[in-house]
Amino acid sequence: MSWLGLLILPSLLGVVGFHMVQPNFRDLRISAAPLLPDPPQSSAPRNRLSLSAPLLSLRFWLRLLAMLGLLAALGARLWTPLAGPEALGSIRIVLDVSPSMGLPDGRPDQTRMDTAVQVVEDFLTALERRAGQPSCIDLVAAGGGVRARLDSAAAPLPDGARALASGGQDPAALEVALAARGPGLCPVAPERALIVTDRPEQRIAPSAFAGLHLWRQVGEPLDNTALTGAAFVGGGLGGAPGRLLIQATVFGAKPQTLSVSLDAPDGARRIALRRDGLDAGGWQGEAEVSAAGLYRLQLDKGGAYGDDDQLAVTLAAPEEILLDWQLPGVNAPSGTRATPASAGGVLVAPYSLGQPLPPGPFVLTYPGWERGTGPNIGAFDDAHPVVQGLNFDVFERYAPALPPRLPNDLQAVLGAERAPGSAWVATRDAPRGAVVPMPRIGGDEASALSLLIFFNALRWVTEGSTQDLAAVAPIAADGRPADRPWLESDIARALAEANDPTLLFDLAQPSDAPDYSQPGPDHPLTAWLIALTCLLLLIERGLGPIWRKGGTT
Amino acid sequence: MTPPLRPAQMDRLRLRLRNRMPTAGLGAHIHRRMGQSLEFREFRDYVMGDDFRKVDWAASARHGQEGDLIVREFQAEERRRLVILADLRPAMRLPDALPKLVISAWVAQCLARAAMAEGDQVQIVPLFTRQGRDLLLSRPRDLEKLRRLYRTVAEAELSADDWATVPDIGPAGKGLSLKPASVVVLISDMLFADPGGHLRRLAAAAQESYRSLHVVELDAWPHERALLAAGPFRLGALAGRSFGEALSEGAESFLQRSDQALAEHRAKLRRGLNHGALVWPKQGLRYPAEPEALPDSAEDWFRAAFSRSAVLPSLLSRVTR
């Protein structure tokens, strides 16, 4: 309001001063002027101050009243309170207790949870001093076990409110906490909610919470690296050794190098990771593995959060080729182990029209050689491993009948002329799968072609198969198994500007901070004062010519 | 614009003056008046001041009430015309308290009414204005045309250039032709310059043969002198004279030099306009010196000043020399 006060006095003084300053001379026109001698110059000042001139001037009073009316209108507008202290409904405090809340926040002796608890306590203190009190207050730990109703704003936080959850929390945990009902909580649904977390603000589904909420983020950004995945790729029929594929993700500052310590049954070694060209922040590496057993991966520099730095991978028989052989009339190659497709084995079976493709790796066959003399070769990919070594001229001479229309998931490797939707050889890349003509045992050239194509497909599929990722287990920093630690890995996210939780008292729109740049509701008199000011100015201006003519000041 | 003298007051004034004027004598410059020919025109009631030789005793005894007299009226060979030259310069709008234009309008109406009561025609000639034509008045209700002329001039907006420019006499003054039996009255403040000599020529024509030129001077100098003496002032430009933005004061020495300058101007103008039949009384209608006396007492002042002035007696007199 001080600027309004600074405006009032100069404005009034200006109007008064304008009218007090009067000319100290008269403008005369004398009919004898052309005949008069030059009049002597006067040394009197041109202006004088007249105390009575304003009082006797109607225009002064009109201008003064107009100025006062305008100032009153401004003052009425500003002095109208935005919102009176009204009674608040039920308030819920959602406290994020995910493991990342245990990380340091600016000081070694201050954690993110310490900051969050301070925010909550300050909010409750301010709430206690407020004129209008909420009908009920409760606190829910998102992902934790604490759900308690507070007796009042002065009540202490419930025991265990600071206890961190053991596993990673996905963002939905906050919505679940907002929507929580039941014993121990307020009987009515909360109308306002304060969410204190180290996550960036996210959209809250109206179905979870339709009231007014204020998001307060805590926690200075911290650099972190996480081991995010491991997969085993077998050597396949080609006799190549198996490989352990390692994936890591960097959050925050980018390191120059990144490496992982591998503790394998056959010894320990260090694996250097390289940047993933397709994923910013992604790193990957691989290590050859041949022995069965437990493999432990440990990031050499894991960052602030330690529960995502270790993985344990158990490989049962990395050198074995696991096949789910269901092909009649053809024996499985030696050195393979029969394993159901559900357990990671490559499915080798006849293809039936209309059957869905298996989710895992597969080689499906169709009878075609018996019906031979298929159409001419159309488009083909001669670099694909499945057709490696194939003599296309010979194949075209003995081309089998085409299979029925193939699913759209497959890409044609060896197609035929005028046969859209079908091909002699079709593949899928992830996971690998191939549909090829049924192999047949014989000495003729057609049999040779069939065996070449079939075993090319089998080798290609078995080389790219991976073992079930269920065998990959994250290990926490304390050596115990960790539950989905990657949900907490991004601790380098930007920290939003801290907003005052007490703004929750005055919120009018959900999830929006109040905009105090907009004026509050108008005082009832504001419009009338402005209208009066305009009327006075209109009178003063409109009658001006008449006053000037009559000499009225 | 209506004069503060009521028609009845004007008639009494006129008749009182006629009783004092010489009624006998014929000479080379005697003006012809109604009834001086021998051609009978009409009978009318006798009014005080009529020539007793005109009384028709037989008609009086025959038609009149006891004590009433009847006079015999003869056709005049030519009706006399009163020509009023109205000075309508921008300076005539001064002073602001009571513009000379208003006084001029009052004087013109009084003279016109008196002339029409005598049976004369009245011609109004506007000078120093581009607007307005000559007006010919023959009946009392024609006075509204005279008032409208003055009102039009008074209400016209004047720009700064209009004030500053030396006014021209105007088309009416340049092309004026006067009838032999004309009495010319100039109503003005006589503070004008006559660079082209048009007014001098007009004055000479107005004094030829039986004609005479009467000047009704509206002297606002005492009032304006008092305004100049009242404190610092800034003079506005007028009729070719400009004074800039400087402040001036009306020192006594300056005012005395101004008195002298005006007196010299009047003397020079009097010499220039006189061709033997100029009637310009030494004292015209003089404004009161006190600025605060106007405009509240303007009508009282006019009634007194006009009654005392030599204008009407000289117009009603049969003898000019």
Side-chain angles (χ1 to χ4, degrees):
Chain A
M1 294 310 160
S2 60
W3 68 264
L4 187 62
L6 290 175
L7 187 62
I8 290 176
L9 192 57
S11 304
L12 295 177
L13 288 177
V15 173
V16 173
F18 177 80
H19 284 270
M20 279 181 63
V21 174
Q22 298 287 319
N24 192 32
F25 61 92
R26 298 153 299 138
D27 277 318
L28 296 179
R29 231 186 265 272
I30 301 293
S31 47
L35 305 172
L36 299 181
D38 289 331
Q41 279 208 348
S42 173
S43 57
R46 292 188 82 91
N47 294 313
R48 60 184 171 85
L49 285 180
S50 169
L51 293 176
S52 61
L55 301 177
L56 300 175
S57 169
L58 182 59
R59 297 183 82 175
F60 164 74
W61 290 110
L62 285 175
R63 287 169 179 166
L64 187 67
L65 288 175
M67 178 68 65
L68 290 175
L70 186 61
L71 291 173
L74 283 173
R77 206 153 197 244
L78 288 171
W79 289 323
T80 303
L82 279 175
E86 54 180 322
L88 303 170
S90 172
I91 292 182
R92 169 159 297 168
I93 301 172
V94 173
L95 186 61
D96 183 0
V97 295
S98 60
S100 61
M101 293 293 285
L103 295 173
D105 184 16
R107 301 198 310 261
D109 59 341
Q110 169 109 359
T111 64
R112 292 181 175 184
M113 177 55 75
D114 293 334
T115 306
V117 168
Q118 189 64 51
V119 168
V120 172
E121 288 176 345
D122 291 344
F123 171 76
L124 291 173
T125 302
L127 184 60
E128 186 189 0
R129 286 200 294 261
R130 194 175 182 277
Q133 289 294 304
S135 58
C136 184
I137 311 171
D138 59 23
L139 183 144
V140 176
V146 175
R147 292 156 54 121
R149 176 177 172 175
L150 304 181
D151 294 329
S152 68
L157 293 184
D159 294 336
R162 292 170 176 267
L164 297 176
S166 58
Q169 301 295 318
D170 62 39
L174 295 170
E175 282 190 353
V176 171
L178 281 170
R181 301 284 187 275
L185 298 175
C186 292
V188 295
E191 296 176 25
R192 298 168 195 254
L194 173 65
I195 304 162
V196 187
T197 173
D198 63 346
R199 290 188 172 280
E201 184 169 2
Q202 67 197 46
R203 180 183 172 276
I204 301 296
S207 56
F209 183 71
L212 306 171
H213 73 273
L214 188 138
W215 193 286
R216 173 62 186 268
Q217 188 189 15
V218 298
E220 294 291 332
L222 297 169
D223 297 332
N224 188 42
T225 305
L227 268 180
T228 52
F232 170 77
V233 178
L237 291 176
R243 294 171 292 140
L244 186 63
L245 302 181
I246 305 164
Q247 283 198 312
T249 304
V250 171
F251 302 94
K254 302 290 188 289
Q256 294 292 324
T257 58
L258 195 60
S259 60
V260 168
S261 297
L262 174 63
D263 186 12
D266 56 355
R269 55 185 184 273
R270 178 165 281 111
I271 309 299
L273 303 184
R274 62 186 181 279
R275 286 194 177 88
D276 185 349
L278 299 177
D279 178 18
W283 291 69
Q284 54 186 206
E286 58 185 51
E288 287 184 0
V289 293
S290 57
L294 179 65
Y295 289 77
R296 283 184 181 272
L297 297 161
Q298 166 83 53
L299 277 171
D300 290 337
K301 292 177 186 173
Y305 182 50
D307 286 354
D308 58 1
D309 295 343
Q310 292 187 63
L311 286 178
V313 181
T314 304
L315 297 178
E319 74 285 3
E320 287 182 340
I321 300 171
L322 307 178
L323 297 177
D324 184 1
W325 196 270
Q326 299 179 17
L327 203 62
V330 181
N331 295 330
S334 61
T336 64
R337 184 155 69 89
T339 306
S342 59
V346 177
L347 177 64
V348 182
Y351 172 69
S352 303
L353 177 64
Q355 86 180 64
L357 294 176
F362 62 87
V363 176
L364 300 178
T365 65
Y366 60 91
W369 297 108
E370 289 74 20
R371 296 200 297 273
T373 63
N376 291 336
I377 292 175
F380 62 93
D381 178 7
D382 60 355
H384 200 284
V386 174
V387 295
Q388 186 180 11
L390 182 67
N391 187 319
F392 290 92
D393 294 329
V394 176
F395 178 86
E396 194 169 50
R397 202 180 313 145
Y398 296 98
L402 282 169
R405 193 175 184 83
L406 295 173
N408 293 333
D409 308 23
L410 300 174
Q411 292 86 44
V413 174
L414 180 57
E417 277 185 350
R418 295 184 296 275
S422 184
W424 286 295
V425 177
T427 61
R428 184 183 73 184
D429 284 336
R432 289 183 179 180
V435 175
V436 297
M438 169 84 80
R440 72 179 195 180
I441 309 300
D444 58 348
E445 294 198 2
S447 298
L449 287 169
S450 72
L451 290 173
L452 174 64
I453 294 172
F454 175 77
F455 280 102
N456 276 350
L458 189 61
R459 184 174 63 234
W460 178 70
V461 171
T462 55
E463 283 178 352
S465 65
T466 60
Q467 287 198 4
D468 193 349
L469 288 178
V472 178
I475 307 296
D478 58 2
R480 292 182 293 122
D483 180 18
R484 300 179 302 165
W486 314 286
L487 296 174
E488 305 293 313
S489 296
D490 187 9
I491 56 175
R493 81 288 175 274
L495 178 63
E497 188 176 343
N499 46 12
D500 184 0
T502 58
L503 296 177
L504 189 63
F505 304 153
D506 301 316
L507 276 181
Q509 294 290 332
S511 76
D512 285 340
D515 183 2
Y516 281 91
S517 64
Q518 298 298 320
D522 283 339
H523 193 281
L525 284 180
T526 299
W528 290 107
L529 289 170
I530 293 175
L532 176 63
T533 300
C534 293
L535 181 63
L536 291 171
L537 288 174
L538 197 64
I539 294 172
E540 192 270 337
R541 291 286 92 191
L543 296 180
I546 299 174
W547 284 330
R548 276 196 293 277
K549 201 173 178 182
T552 306
T553 58
Chain B
M1 289 289 173
T2 305
L5 280 171
R6 293 193 298 275
Q9 288 175 304
M10 194 60 220
D11 286 340
R12 282 199 294 277
L13 179 64
R14 175 175 60 83
L15 291 171
R16 190 165 67 244
L17 289 172
R18 283 191 66 202
N19 286 340
R20 297 196 199 122
M21 292 298 109
T23 60
L26 293 174
H29 298 284
I30 291 175
H31 295 277
R32 291 173 183 252
R33 301 186 67 246
M34 181 180 286
Q36 288 189 348
S37 73
L38 298 178
E39 191 172 342
F40 171 76
R41 181 183 173 207
E42 64 184 0
F43 287 110
R44 62 172 175 81
D45 290 335
Y46 172 84
V47 294
M48 189 69 74
D50 279 339
D51 190 348
F52 244 78
R53 290 174 295 176
K54 288 191 191 175
V55 175
D56 189 323
W57 300 105
S60 301
R62 200 167 47 246
H63 295 292
Q65 305 262 343
E66 185 174 1
D68 285 348
L69 300 174
I70 304 288
V71 298
R72 191 188 293 255
E73 196 71 58
F74 294 96
Q75 184 70 42
E77 290 167 6
E78 184 180 346
R79 298 180 66 185
R80 191 174 71 165
R81 178 178 286 189
L82 174 65
V83 179
I84 297 178
L85 305 178
D87 180 357
L88 301 178
R89 290 163 23 247
M92 291 293 286
R93 297 190 187 203
L94 302 169
D96 291 329
L98 183 61
K100 283 171 283 187
L101 210 60
V102 174
I103 306 300
S104 174
W106 290 351
V107 171
Q109 288 177 80
C110 290
L111 296 181
R113 180 178 291 279
M116 284 189 287
E118 293 289 318
D120 295 338
Q121 280 186 328
V122 179
Q123 180 181 0
I124 309 297
V125 179
L127 297 182
F128 299 106
T129 177
R130 287 186 296 272
Q131 57 190 339
R133 307 172 285 134
D134 291 8
L135 296 178
L136 209 58
L137 314 178
S138 54
R139 290 167 297 208
R141 64 171 182 247
D142 291 339
L143 289 175
E144 181 53 37
K145 290 193 280 188
L146 176 60
R147 284 192 284 269
R148 198 179 312 130
L149 169 66
Y150 273 95
R151 236 187 338 260
T152 303
V153 171
E155 291 172 358
E157 287 286 334
L158 290 183
S159 65
D161 278 346
D162 291 331
W163 285 103
T165 309
V166 176
D168 182 68
I169 194 170
K174 289 176 184 172
L176 181 63
S177 64
L178 298 169
K179 292 197 178 299
S182 293
V183 174
V184 182
V185 176
L186 172 61
I187 307 175
S188 171
D189 60 2
M190 306 307 285
L191 295 176
F192 49 80
D194 187 23
H198 296 292
L199 201 62
R200 284 187 179 78
R201 285 192 285 278
L202 187 57
Q207 295 171 66
E208 286 176 359
S209 181
Y210 298 111
R211 295 192 285 264
S212 58
L213 174 62
H214 302 251
V215 173
V216 180
E217 183 184 357
L218 307 180
D219 185 8
W221 173 242
H223 174 83
E224 292 181 337
R225 191 183 196 279
L227 287 177
L228 291 173
F233 56 86
R234 190 169 59 181
L235 271 182
L238 183 65
R241 183 86 186 272
S242 170
F243 299 90
E245 296 294 320
L247 295 190
S248 307
E249 60 183 19
E252 188 56 35
S253 58
F254 160 71
L255 294 175
Q256 286 176 358
R257 281 185 283 121
S258 300
D259 293 337
Q260 189 175 351
L262 290 176
E264 286 172 3
H265 168 75
R266 287 196 184 91
K268 182 178 174 185
L269 199 59
R270 195 184 290 271
R271 288 192 298 272
L273 295 181
N274 188 12
H275 292 274
L278 176 66
V279 180
W280 183 348
K282 286 228 182 302
Q283 185 164 333
L285 292 177
R286 182 170 286 183
Y287 277 50
E290 301 80 17
E292 60 272 12
L294 298 173
D296 295 333
S297 59
E299 293 180 351
D300 292 337
W301 162 77
F302 176 78
R303 274 192 287 269
F306 188 70
S307 304
R308 284 196 305 268
S309 76
V311 173
L312 208 50
S314 66
L315 283 174
L316 292 175
S317 170
R318 294 173 183 242
V319 182
T320 57
R321 298 186 201 237

